[in-house]
Amino acid sequence: MSKPKHERSLAETEAQAVTRNIRVSPRKLSLAAGLIRGRTAADAVATLTFSKRRIAQTVKKTLESAIANAENNHQLDVDQLVVARVEVGRSQVMKRFHARGRGRAARVEKWFSHLTIVVAEQQAAAPAQQEAA
């Protein structure tokens, strides 16, 4: 016997990609993730391509994976994709020590993070709405 089929937690017009145990602190990753929240997929990829942050390339890889999942697994239109959600979570923390003066030690914490990107297909706006904007 096998386990029952897991219900899909996302809507039919959504796809996601997850990257776990990224060697960067959640605070720094959240700054890079904030650059793409709510943008179209093409605009988000362009933003991350030219970002100076080191972690931007990892975020870009995860975003491209989410776009590929939407196209190949869920048959969504790539031109209509919008970054619906970007979630940054804490992972493990490596604890190290740094030798200090007079025989003391200081703790150094090396943080890891999880990243989840959800892209959603946005319906095309009506021509009357586009003229008003």
Side-chain angles (χ1 to χ4, degrees):
M1 292 181 64
S2 63
K3 293 170 32 176
K5 188 172 181 179
H6 188 281
E7 289 294 322
R8 190 162 189 263
S9 62
L10 298 174
E12 293 297 321
T13 59
E14 293 181 337
Q16 77 174 359
V18 179
T19 304
R20 299 202 176 274
N21 296 324
I22 304 170
R23 179 58 193 92
V24 67
S25 70
R27 180 181 289 184
K28 291 177 186 176
L29 183 59
S30 183
L31 290 173
L35 296 173
I36 63 170
R37 278 193 181 94
R39 293 182 179 232
T40 62
D43 189 27
V45 169
T47 301
L48 291 172
T49 300
F50 297 106
S51 175
K52 292 184 178 182
R53 296 191 178 277
R54 175 187 65 88
I55 199 60
Q57 296 308 312
T58 305
V59 176
K60 180 182 168 194
K61 272 179 78 171
T62 308
L63 175 62
E64 289 172 342
S65 177
I67 294 169
N69 289 342
E71 181 180 14
N72 298 321
N73 299 344
H74 306 294
Q75 287 71 44
L76 301 178
D77 185 16
V78 176
D79 298 327
Q80 302 294 324
L81 289 180
V82 173
V83 179
R85 271 194 337 257
V86 181
E87 297 173 1
V88 175
R90 286 177 46 180
S91 180
Q92 63 194 16
V93 179
M94 286 194 305
K95 296 178 179 73
R96 300 290 184 259
F97 82 94
H98 183 72
R100 307 301 294 177
R102 300 172 66 177
R104 290 191 298 256
R107 186 147 98 172
V108 176
E109 294 179 337
K110 300 185 177 209
W111 294 80
F112 284 72
S113 306
H114 297 318
L115 175 66
T116 303
I117 297 180
V118 177
V119 293
E121 189 176 44
Q122 188 179 44
Q123 300 303 324
Q129 292 175 350
Q130 289 178 350
E131 292 173 7

